[in-house]
């Protein structure tokens, strides 16, 4: 137990170095605040603006990679201390300010941070929906597939690649594959092709036309056979994925199993039905949250004109406040960074600037809302699940167990967890949360009522000696550390 | 999900292990009890429990009752095919300081005199029973009769048996008032309607004083926080026994540590704080483990089991327990005819639940209950108004 932790102090701590976090950090530092920005990944950028593993590869020139580089550069130039491979594992109020604790380098080190204001821009994570066979090795999230391709890694197994699910994001993943020169064999989108309504949706947004055309061209470049109006109904295989079954869906999104077709020789099924906000830090700090399917479910409530949450000094930006994509993230990050800096420096932010940013944010969110309406993220699993389907894979809890729990009176996520252990594994409900909510919804409990598994210390699994080192640094001021207090 | 009936032979208020066990015991006499839970069955203390069942270092006077309480759990496991992971793995209380050796020896001698199979162990003997406990102990006490159960599955089983015996159990139905008519209890009001019943049993856990206050009765139950940390799954046999400190005096003030490995593989370690007067709304507020306790818990665990240092912590939780002035339950009839109580668990109510449920059967029905000699002991130890009578005297 001989690990020692750093203790850093700052005016504003920013959690997450995606577009929202980097924008927030840069604005706060440029306004004169001392800013520290923590991020879990190897390099700043987050999901969308992630830096490719190969800095001279084809992806490095992409718009997204350039955005990430520019934002990180601008933040550094403004004086932000950027810390990568730092995973927040606990946050607590201390007086008017906050204490944050992070594991460094996957738990090999630990860090405590004392901050006067905090901006949480923790982004989003995949919202996996169960379908028969979804736990077979070879089935991965579309977002995970995109990260793999960007980092230059290989997909789990050789064989055909199927990209499936729904939403604009699916096109973005296809585009990443195309830019990296990787093949996709089948592209399966739940929505039918609707050229007219797509054009109507895009018509008011001329600035997005070229991007949309680029996505379509990239999808063609992957060489994928396209199945619009289809959904994956089953993943098949003995010990790993071998085949994928798809079927056409009707106007209500129900697949017609009698017309299912089988794609054989599949090595990877990359599937995405949307994202959910990462809210562990904001729930730990006690901010108010709400549920809205159009925003990815449970999200942190922040004032659009300041980014402030229900907890004074705590700000939230980007997809922590709801799924919306890169543009609202950037603007909400700027708003939160400016407000947080103003708070700690005892100033009021320039009202003119804040007004125009708020208007810009509203506009960016309107586009996100129309995208979300065009590609509604399904809340229910795409096909009726068999009773024996595994819902919580950490603890091997099946749909039948969950139904029995509801039958016995468990009417919320918390109660189902206790009854069945669903959500008590390493993911603590992060991965199975949407599936559990769907199972509860099917049994008559709407997601807004079912709640979610609230994060407690530690927000993520962290070695005990790292937890100890970080907490000791603040709870016992005389604890020796590795750096200046 | 079940509809709320309009009447019942008895209403049991609170669906933790005490309430479920009481509903079952009443149903087994042929009554039709109704168990009402404010939120989720077992969602308060019961589901957060380490649920060790045993007698060692729990008190010499209460020993016969505790032995019976443990036997009831063991019998239940046998009768039901053990669907709740009853595991009689024994308890090791570690001794770190020379002055505590005498304390351990004293407990062992006094429990041996009552027929217990307890023993004082050398560090080598302790390590034989617990190979990864390589910390600096100078000895240990050993009680082979201690068992653990899975707290959720234990509750589920007892609830199922209660329903099978004729009890109705309804969740998400808080009791908001007690109905009193002609100087005796007449039923309860809930958020979903009223229920009339000639008997009401209060098993509301640490907040039972508030329920009794609805009838103008003051119960000296104060909440204290109990917290638990859980590691990621470890291989089976990482921690084989229930591990505890050799306590100087026993009871609340001595500090408390309990470490064990759940059947899920998670290593669980728990500590408690001193009782306090909670602010309004504390009951509904989600609490976090204070950092000082996390530090001390990790230090204790890693002092005893140094090889676990790099294992990941997964989760922590906080619950309230109900503490009474003498660390014993308040269980029996209250000074309002038809009103009864079983609360004030002092952090070891899981163990006592089945035994206290039988004790309450006698209070409610005037018949049955515990074996005669134990009934007399229970009536003396657990009399709910013992403090008021003492104060008056
Ligand atoms: C062996 C074992 C291992 C465990 N491992 C894990 C684990 O890995 N992960 C995990 O999440 N849990 C685990 N638990 C469950 C643990 O018991 C709960 O975490 C604990 O009950 C605390 O609840 P919480 O932290 O989930 O809920 P909190 O975050 O405290 O919130 C629970 C919510 O439910 C409400 N609630 C519902 N019903 C009630 C009720 N009757 N009384 C009071 N409040 C109620 C609370 O008010 C609150 O809003 C484990 C338990 C055991 C015994
Ligand atoms: C970390 C930890 C470790 C523990 N370890 C052990 C151990 O090893 N051995 C042991 O024996 N014990 C242990 N305990 C203690 C044990 O869990 C408790 O003593 C026992 O569960 C208490 O059960 P209960 O039914 O009295 O209380 P609870 O489980 O709290 O049940 C009371 C119920 O009443 C409900 N309620 C309250 N007010 C109302 C109302 N107005 N209307 C309707 N319902 C209401 C609540 O929602 C709650 O569900 C431990 C506890 C903790 C927290």
């Amino acid at each position: 137990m001989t690990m020692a932790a750093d203790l850093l102090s700052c005016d504003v701590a920013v959690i997450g170095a995606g577009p929202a976090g980097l924008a927030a950090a840069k604005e706060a530092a440029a306004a004169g605040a001392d800013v520290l920005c923590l991020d879990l990944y190897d390099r700043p950028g987050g999901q969308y603006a992630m830096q490719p593993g190969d800095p001279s590869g084809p992806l490095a020139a992409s718009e997204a990679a350039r955005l990430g580089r520019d934002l990180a550069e601008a933040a550094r130039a403004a004086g932000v201390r950027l810390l990568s491979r730092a995973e927040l594992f606990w946050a607590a109020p201390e007086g008017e300010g906050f204490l944050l604790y992070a594991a460094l380098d996957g738990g090999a080190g630990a860090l405590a941070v004392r901050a006067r204001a905090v901006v949480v821009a923790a982004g989003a994570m995949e919202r996996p929906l169960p379908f028969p066979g979804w736990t077979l090795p070879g089935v991965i999230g579309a977002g995970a597939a995109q990260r793999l391709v960007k980092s230059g890694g290989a997909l789990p197994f050789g064989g055909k690649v199927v990209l499936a699910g729904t939403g604009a994001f699916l096109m973005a993943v296809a585009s990443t594959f195309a830019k990296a020169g990787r093949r996709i064999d089948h592209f399966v989108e739940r929505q039918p092709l609707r050229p007219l309504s797509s054009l109507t949706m895009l018509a008011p947004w001329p600035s997005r036309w070229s991007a949309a055309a680029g996505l379509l061209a990239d999808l063609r470049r992957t060489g994928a056979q396209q199945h619009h109006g289809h959904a994956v109904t089953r993943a098949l295989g003995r010990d790993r994925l071998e085949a994928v079954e798809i079927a056409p869906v009707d106007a209500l999104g129900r697949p017609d199993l009698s017309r299912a077709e089988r794609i054989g020789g599949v090595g990877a099924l990359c599937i995405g039905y949307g994202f959910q906000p990462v809210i562990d830090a904001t729930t730990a700090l006690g901010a108010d949250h709400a549920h809205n399917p159009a925003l990815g479910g449970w999200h942190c409530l922040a004032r659009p004109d300041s980014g402030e949450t229900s907890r004074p000094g705590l700000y939230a930006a980007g997809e922590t406040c709801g799924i919306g994509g890169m543009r609202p993230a950037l603007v909400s990050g700027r708003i939160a960074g400016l407000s947080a800096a103003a708070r700690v420096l005892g100033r009021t932010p320039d009202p003119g600037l804040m007004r125009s940013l708020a208007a810009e944010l509203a506009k960016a969110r309107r586009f996100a809302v129309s995208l979300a309406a065009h590609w509604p993220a399904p809340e229910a699993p795409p096909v009726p699940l068999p009773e024996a389907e595994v819902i919580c894979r950490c603890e091997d809890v099946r749909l039948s167990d969950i139904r029995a729990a509801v039958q016995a009176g468990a009417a919320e996520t918390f109660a189902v967890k206790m009854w069945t252990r669903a959500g008590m594994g390493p993911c603590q409900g992060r991965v199975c949360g949407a599936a559990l909510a769907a199972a509860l919804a099917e049994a008559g409990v709407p997601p807004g009522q079912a709640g979610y598994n609230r994060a407690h210390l530690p927000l993520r699994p962290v070695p005990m000696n790292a937890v100890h080192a970080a907490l000791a640094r603040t709870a016992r001021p005389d604890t020796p550390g590795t750096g200046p207090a | 999900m079940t509809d709320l009936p309009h009447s019942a032979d008895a209403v049991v208020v609170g669906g933790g292990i005490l309430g479920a066990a009481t509903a079952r015991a009443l149903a087994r006499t042929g009554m039709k009890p109704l168990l009402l839970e404010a939120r989720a069955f077992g969602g308060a203390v019961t589901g957060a429990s380490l649920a060790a069942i045993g007698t060692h270092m729990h008190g010499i006077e209460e020993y016969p009752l505790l032995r019976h309480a443990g036997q009831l759990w063991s019998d239940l496991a046998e009768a039901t095919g053990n669907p709740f992971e009853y595991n009689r793995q024994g308890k090791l209380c570690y001794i770190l300081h020379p002055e505590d050796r005498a304390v351990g020896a004293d407990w062992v001698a006094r429990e041996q005199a009552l027929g217990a199979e307890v023993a004082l162990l050398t560090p080598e003997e302790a390590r034989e029973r617990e190979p990864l406990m390589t910390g600096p102990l100078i000895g240990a006490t050993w009680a082979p009769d201690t068992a653990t159960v899975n707290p959720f599955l234990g509750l589920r089983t007892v609830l199922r048996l209660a329903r099978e015996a004729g009890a109705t159990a309804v969740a998400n139905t808080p009791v908001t008032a007690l109905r009193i008519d002609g100087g005796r209890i007449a039923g309860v009001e809930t958020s979903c309607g009223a229920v009339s019943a000639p008997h009401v049993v209060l098993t509301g856990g640490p907040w039972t004083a508030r329920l009794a206050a609805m009838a103008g009765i003051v119960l000296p139950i104060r909440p204290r926080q109990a917290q638990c940390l859980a590691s990621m799954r470890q291989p089976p046999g990482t921690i084989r026994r229930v591990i505890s400190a050799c306590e100087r005096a026993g009871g609340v003030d001595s500090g408390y540590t309990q470490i064990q490995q759940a059947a899920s593989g998670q290593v669980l370690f728990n500590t408690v704080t001193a009782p306090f007067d909670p602010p309004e709304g504390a009951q509904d507020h989600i609490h976090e483990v204070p950092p000082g306790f996390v530090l001390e818990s990790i230090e204790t665990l890693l002092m005893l089991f140094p090889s676990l240092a790099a294992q990941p912590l997964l989760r922590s939780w906080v619950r309230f327990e109900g503490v009474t002035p003498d660390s014993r339950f308040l269980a029996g009839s209250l000074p309002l005819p038809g009103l009864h109580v079983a609360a004030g668990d002092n952090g070891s109510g899981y163990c006592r639940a089945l035994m206290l449920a039988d004790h309450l059967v006698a209070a409610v029905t005037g018949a049955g209950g515990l074996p005669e000699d134990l009934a007399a002991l229970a009536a003396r130890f657990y009399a709910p108004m013992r403090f008021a009578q003492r104060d008056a005297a």
Side-chain angles (χ1 to χ4, degrees), chain A residues 64-153:
Chain A
R66 235 175 314 128
L67 174 77
R69 260 197 316 275
D70 293 350
L71 285 171
E73 215 25 71
R76 281 203 190 91
V80 174
R81 285 176 282 168
L82 272 175
L83 263 184
S84 291
R85 291 176 65 73
E87 183 170 26
L88 184 78
F89 74 80
W90 188 232
E94 184 196 44
E96 304 249 288
F98 301 90
L99 289 172
L100 307 176
Y101 303 95
L104 302 177
D105 300 321
L111 172 71
V113 176
R114 189 164 260 137
R116 296 169 61 205
V118 171
V119 180
V120 177
M125 55 182 285
E126 290 188 89
R127 197 172 128 271
L129 281 180
F131 57 91
W134 73 309
T135 54
L136 271 179
V139 180
I140 64 171
Q146 189 188 41
R147 284 205 82 80
L148 269 175
V149 170
K150 284 184 176 176
S151 62

Side-chain angles (χ1 to χ4, degrees), chain A residues 414 417 424 428 456, chain B residues 37 39-40 44 47-48 266 315 317 319:
Chain A
F414 168 81
K417 175 185 81 174
M424 286 196 197
Q428 292 289 299
H456 289 288
Chain B
E37 164 54 41
R39 296 281 307 262
Q266 290 169 298
R315 179 99 180 165
W317 58 85
R319 283 299 186 257

Side-chain angles (χ1 to χ4, degrees), chain A residues 12 14 43 52 58 68 72 80 91 108 158 174 189 192 214 263 287 304-305 349 358 376 378 383 406 412 427 436 484:
Chain A
V12 178
V14 179
R43 285 175 293 275
V80 174
E189 162 60 60
I263 304 169
D305 58 348
V383 259
V406 173
E412 49 184 323
C427 92
L436 267 178

Side-chain angles (χ1 to χ4, degrees), chain B residues 311-335:
Chain B
Q311 294 308 314
L313 185 68
L314 181 62
R315 179 99 180 165
S316 61
W317 58 85
V318 174
R319 283 299 186 257
F320 288 105
E321 300 171 332
V323 177
T324 58
D326 62 359
S327 306
R328 285 201 192 113
F329 259 91
L330 310 179
S333 297
L334 290 170

Side-chain angles (χ1 to χ4, degrees), chain A residues 88-362:
Chain A
L88 184 78
F89 74 80
W90 188 232
E94 184 196 44
E96 304 249 288
F98 301 90
L99 289 172
L100 307 176
Y101 303 95
L104 302 177
D105 300 321
L111 172 71
V113 176
R114 189 164 260 137
R116 296 169 61 205
V118 171
V119 180
V120 177
M125 55 182 285
E126 290 188 89
R127 197 172 128 271
L129 281 180
F131 57 91
W134 73 309
T135 54
L136 271 179
V139 180
I140 64 171
Q146 189 188 41
R147 284 205 82 80
L148 269 175
V149 170
K150 284 184 176 176
S151 62
L155 290 172
F157 305 110
K160 286 182 195 154
V161 176
V162 178
L163 177 62
T166 193
F169 178 72
L170 219 51
M171 307 266 281
V173 177
S175 165
T176 303
F177 272 75
K179 291 193 171 100
R182 300 249 205 141
R183 193 189 80 251
I184 297 175
D185 297 278
H186 294 268
F187 178 82
V188 186
E189 162 60 60
R190 206 168 82 116
Q191 292 290 342
L193 264 185
R194 298 160 296 167
L196 202 61
S197 86
S198 303
L199 286 176
T200 317
M201 193 270 293
L202 280 170
W205 307 94
S207 62
R208 312 294 175 107
W209 294 350
S210 75
L215 287 176
L216 280 173
D218 283 345
L219 174 56
R220 275 193 300 274
R221 274 207 290 148
T222 62
Q225 187 180 338
Q226 298 183 26
H227 311 263
H228 296 269
H230 280 67
V232 169
T233 51
R234 258 196 309 173
L236 300 152
R238 201 186 297 270
D239 309 316
R240 48 162 275 202
L241 180 66
E242 287 159 18
V244 169
E245 196 179 80
I246 66 172
V249 295
D250 66 14
L252 293 172
R254 290 174 309 206
D256 179 354
L257 296 176
S258 70
R259 290 160 63 204
E261 48 185 302
R262 185 175 289 202
I263 304 169
V266 180
L269 168 60
C270 316
I271 189 159
Y273 283 108
F275 286 86
Q276 55 193 349
V278 173
I279 54 169
D280 49 4
T282 48
T283 53
L285 285 168
D288 288 344
H289 290 72
H291 186 272
N292 179 351
L295 293 175
W298 288 101
H299 58 283
C300 181
L301 294 171
R303 291 176 49 140
D305 58 348
S306 68
E308 193 161 22
T309 68
S310 60
R311 223 194 145 92
L314 176 65
Y315 301 79
E319 300 204 307
T320 292
C321 309
I323 303 307
M326 176 270 289
R327 282 164 216 251
L330 270 179
V331 188
S332 65
R334 293 187 62 193
I335 292 171
L338 285 167
S339 309
R343 176 188 169 90
V344 299
L345 300 171
R347 296 191 205 132
T348 12
D350 174 2
L353 175 61
M354 295 309 274
R355 250 195 317 278
S356 78
L357 285 174
E360 207 182 310
L361 177 59

Side-chain angles (χ1 to χ4, degrees), chain B residues 154-248:
Chain B
L155 177 81
R156 273 177 76 162
T157 304
V158 175
L159 195 57
R160 173 173 60 78
L161 294 174
R163 281 171 162 153
E164 284 171 9
T168 304
V170 188
N172 299 302
T173 308
V175 166
T176 50
L178 300 177
R179 299 179 107 192
I180 298 166
D181 192 14
R184 64 165 292 134
I185 202 83
V188 298
E189 317 256 346
T190 79
S191 61
C192 313
V195 183
S196 59
H199 291 280
V200 172
V201 185
L202 306 180
T203 53
W207 312 101
T208 302
R210 292 185 184 171
L211 284 167
M214 294 173 180
I217 296 169
V218 179
L219 293 181
I221 300 175
R222 296 172 76 204
R224 77 171 172 214
Q225 279 189 198
Q227 38 261 321
C228 186
L229 304 185
S231 78
M232 293 257 276
R233 272 173 195 229
Q234 300 299 315
T238 298
I239 296 182
R240 302 184 176 180
R241 320 292 175 183
V242 175
I243 307 296
S244 205
C246 180
E247 295 177 34
R248 232 159 277 243

Side-chain angles (χ1 to χ4, degrees), chain B residues 13-20 36-53 58 173-176 203-208 211 214 226-228 256 258 260 270-271 283 317-321 329 342-352:
Chain B
V13 184
I17 191 62
L18 259 300
L36 295 178
E37 164 54 41
R39 296 281 307 262
F41 293 118
V45 193
T46 293
S49 178
L50 274 69
I53 314 290
H58 274 291
T173 308
V175 166
T176 50
T203 53
W207 312 101
T208 302
L211 284 167
M214 294 173 180
Q227 38 261 321
C228 186
Y256 188 77
Q258 187 172 320
Q260 69 206 43
N270 114 275
T271 49
Q283 178 176 5
W317 58 85
V318 174
R319 283 299 186 257
F320 288 105
E321 300 171 332
F329 259 91
D345 64 284
N346 297 287
S348 52
Y350 215 106
C351 173
R352 292 165 171 83

